[in-house]
Amino acid sequence: MTEYLANIIVNGQARPARSGATFAVNNPAHPSEIVGYAPLANVDDVRQAIDAAASAFIGWSALSPFERADYLFRVSQQLGTAQEDVQQRARLFTREHGKTLRETGMELSRLGDRFALAAGQAEQLATDVHLSTPPNDTIITRQPRGVATLIVPWNWPLSILGAKLPQALMGGNTVIVKLAEQCPLASLQTLEIVARVLPPGVMNVIASPPSELGDLLLTDPRIRTINFTGSIAVGKAILKKSADTLKTVTLELGGNDAALVLDDADLNEAAIESLVMGTFLTAGQICMAIKRLYVHRSRYRELLEKFTTAADQWVVGDGLEADVSMGPLNNEQQYKKVLALIADARRRGATVAEVGQIKDQATYNEGYFQRPTIVTNIEQNAPLVWDEQFGPVVPIMPFDTDEEAILLANATEFGLCSSVWTTDSKRAESVARRLQAGVTYLNGHGPTVQDPRAPFGGVKQSGIGRNLGIEGTLGFLEPHSISSPSGWLF
Ligand code: NAD
């Protein structure tokens, strides 16, 4: 297969790195295969990107929300027109990422919707609040923060970017996007379509390993806000580095989502499929995947049997193959972490069941594959339970009362998402209100049931601030009060 040569985007130009250097991107299903090369941008490129974003900010921030919405609607249209080549981009994406063509196709197709959704906020953003009680007239309006650094991880790069890029732009900020180095090719290709619509410098995009970039994206005084999605450790480092110039920082970090299956849950085929999907989609490499499954003891055997039978239908293999339901893990580091957690569970005497069908044994042996893995008889203090596995392995544990289930779900430093499974809507809501999480789903879990109009983010060490929704856009804006003596402004 041909190797794709990607560009970075700086000041409206899709181009190689200034040094001309590139880095190879490999296929996790066949690790020796090079899928393509991305420009190895370094500090020089970063400086140029910040210069471009700072210059473009003057014009872009002066536009009204309606004028910016026009650009965003055009981006959405262009991404819609680009559906003709979406299959080709999805193949590239699957080869560099590992996840299935269905997943990469869905991710690429939905990006335009996110631009249209943010553009639809123009009226709300253009509406100021007026206070006209003597002795003052005051207009409360909102200002863009300035140049924004947007950093995304490798697992769902464009969906995650779709929750911050359109919102940052809609708010009047200009941006530097930092894509993850593990699989940047299809995202760089797709963002070229976006860049063609926007004025030069409004969106700049790079994708090198962090070691190449220096600290400018986190420390340059012209960067006023950072919106990061990734691991807790890197999120904390970013918060510390950005402190000297007092940037606002939004952090979307890891999760260890609990799903609580109550004693009256309807465990029909669709519900089980939804639980399995919520656990193993993208081989579990989703921040809002089910990572701990707690089941009322009276339904434990039934759930375990049905869940195991459904997961056993999943076909594990190269995501390019049509009948494959789960690809490999994205990279060697993640693969080794997941294998270590499974080995630790075994050492502790837990019961480990590896299920699912292997499409092709030779490919399975070659790539970073792990079948859907179900772990039972495991203690709460095992790393698989308290740490974030970010892979296709899930502990399933019993509880006796709703009270105990709530305590178990909340007994973690994480607080991203959670779910409650029951036929009683009042009981579902009452349990949900007591769960420490940014999002709680009822009888569903994960990206397939996430309402893109609702704010998304975590509590505790799962993050600070929100993306998506009007709350996400407001995170890129600062209130500005304009005040005069009474009778002067209104
Ligand atoms: P990571 O923190 O290692 O990397 C994320 C991004 O940050 C990558 O683009 C990486 O290159 C960049 N980065 C790392 N160090 C940097 C630095 N010093 N300066 C600038 N950029 C830097 O995370 P990961 O392993 O790629 O992703 C997996 C993690 O992301 C998991 O913990 C997962 O839960 C989390 N995640 C969270 C959400 C959410 O919305 N809460 C969504 C997806 C993934």
Side-chain angles (χ1 to χ4, degrees):
M1 280 192 240
T2 51
E3 292 167 355
Y4 180 74
L5 188 56
N7 290 308
I8 54 171
I9 301 163
V10 178
N11 203 18
Q13 283 190 315
R15 62 158 175 82
R18 271 186 80 177
S19 68
T22 58
F23 64 97
V25 178
N26 292 61
N27 181 343
H30 310 280
S32 58
E33 178 194 319
I34 292 178
V35 180
Y37 294 87
L40 190 67
N42 64 21
V43 185
D44 284 346
D45 300 288
V46 172
R47 197 170 285 115
Q48 280 200 334
I50 299 175
D51 290 347
S55 302
F57 178 72
I58 299 162
W60 185 250
S61 60
L63 298 178
S64 74
F66 296 102
E67 289 168 318
R68 289 196 289 267
D70 281 347
Y71 278 102
L72 266 62
F73 279 128
R74 269 172 35 221
V75 168
S76 177
Q77 272 164 3
Q78 286 302 311
L79 287 169
T81 312
Q83 292 302 319
E84 286 156 21
D85 77 341
V86 82
Q87 279 316 314
Q88 167 262 317
R89 279 184 288 131
R91 288 183 73 78
L92 177 67
F93 201 177
T94 289
R95 286 175 60 217
E96 64 177 327
H97 188 291
K99 63 188 178 187
T100 64
L101 275 178
R102 194 168 45 84
E103 290 171 284
T104 53
M106 186 168 71
E107 184 166 6
L108 289 164
S109 307
R110 284 188 180 171
L111 183 63
D113 300 344
R114 295 294 172 91
F115 277 87
L117 201 60
Q121 297 172 340
E123 180 83 48
Q124 211 170 340
L125 295 174
T127 307
D128 295 335
V129 172
H130 288 182
L131 306 177
S132 56
T133 319
N136 294 110
D137 284 349
T138 300
I139 300 171
I140 302 170
T141 183
R142 298 186 191 92
Q143 285 188 329
R145 293 190 183 278
V147 180
T149 295
L150 310 181
I151 304 178
V152 294
W154 46 263
N155 63 329
W156 277 74
L158 289 176
S159 294
I160 292 167
L161 195 58
K164 55 183 81 181
L165 172 63
Q167 296 76 3
L169 297 178
M170 202 44 215
N173 306 270
T174 54
V175 305
I176 295 128
V177 174
K178 155 72 180 89
L179 294 167
E181 59 277 18
Q182 289 86 354
C183 52
L185 304 175
S187 300
L188 286 167
Q189 192 182 29
T190 302
L191 292 172
E192 282 191 37
I193 301 168
V194 177
R196 275 182 227 128
V197 178
L198 298 170
V202 166
M203 180 194 71
N204 306 275
V205 189
I206 53 168
S208 298
S211 53
E212 297 295 319
L213 299 175
D215 280 347
L216 281 182
L217 284 175
L218 313 177
T219 57
D220 188 295
R222 293 170 293 171
I223 307 271
R224 297 291 177 198
T225 188
I226 300 172
N227 189 308
F228 169 82
T229 301
S231 63
I232 291 178
V234 174
K236 287 178 180 174
I238 285 176
L239 201 55
K240 284 180 190 153
K241 281 202 172 140
S242 61
D244 277 348
T245 45
L246 278 186
K247 303 180 194 317
T248 57
V249 179
T250 300
L251 300 174
E252 297 266 335
L253 307 177
N256 194 6
D257 293 10
L260 308 182
V261 178
L262 307 190
D263 55 4
D264 65 347
D266 186 353
L267 297 180
N268 60 32
E269 206 177 317
I272 294 294
E273 193 46 55
S274 183
L275 278 162
V276 172
M277 182 71 88
T279 306
F280 295 125
L281 187 69
T282 318
Q285 301 165 114
I286 299 187
C287 54
M288 71 243 254
I290 295 172
K291 295 184 179 132
R292 298 175 289 154
L293 182 44
Y294 292 104
V295 189
H296 191 271
R297 200 175 299 277
S298 66
R299 309 294 298 281
Y300 187 78
R301 281 283 132 219
E302 178 192 357
L303 178 287
L304 187 59
E305 255 176 55
K306 289 180 171 174
F307 187 94
T308 305
T309 305
D312 195 40
Q313 310 298 311
W314 280 42
V315 179
V316 184
D318 186 332
L320 286 180
E321 305 216 29
D323 56 348
V324 160
S325 30
M326 194 175 102
L329 286 124
N330 170 262
N331 57 74
E332 189 177 14
Q333 190 187 341
Q334 195 54 37
Y335 177 59
K336 285 186 171 160
K337 178 182 175 185
V338 169
L339 293 193
L341 284 170
I342 296 171
D344 176 80
R346 280 205 167 94
R347 263 197 308 277
R348 287 163 182 273
T351 308
V352 176
E354 296 185 42
V355 301
Q357 312 303 311
I358 294 173
K359 173 79 183 171
D360 173 70
Q361 191 66 50
T363 303
Y364 190 87
N365 295 345
E366 182 191 353
Y368 304 135
F369 291 98
Q370 172 61 36
R371 294 154 74 191
T373 303
I374 297 162
V375 178
T376 51
N377 300 316
I378 186 158
E379 299 296 325
Q380 289 299 315
N381 62 3
L384 179 62
V385 180
W386 60 257
D387 199 0
E388 182 191 34
Q389 61 271 51
F390 221 59
V393 48
V394 67
I396 306 188
M397 299 155 289
F399 65 84
D400 290 300
T401 63
D402 289 6
E403 206 59 37
E404 185 193 359
I406 293 166
L407 279 175
L408 288 167
N410 289 341
T412 168
E413 277 300 300
F414 296 89
L416 192 59
C417 305
S418 53
S419 59
V420 186
W421 301 71
T422 164
T423 44
D424 180 340
S425 62
K426 289 277 167 288
R427 190 174 170 202
E429 188 185 331
S430 132
V431 172
R433 284 180 184 277
R434 294 180 59 198
L435 293 176
Q436 296 164 348
V439 180
T440 300
Y441 309 99
L442 306 180
N443 296 323
H445 198 124
T448 55
V449 291
Q450 173 69 32
D451 185 335
R453 298 163 305 174
F456 182 83
V459 300
K460 300 198 275 187
Q461 294 199 34
S462 285
I464 299 173
R466 293 291 178 271
N467 284 320
L468 283 178
I470 191 68
E471 294 82 355
T473 308
L474 293 180
F476 286 103
L477 290 159
E478 197 75 76
H480 183 196
S481 304
I482 302 172
S483 202
S484 75
S486 282
W488 211 69
L489 278 175
F490 315 120

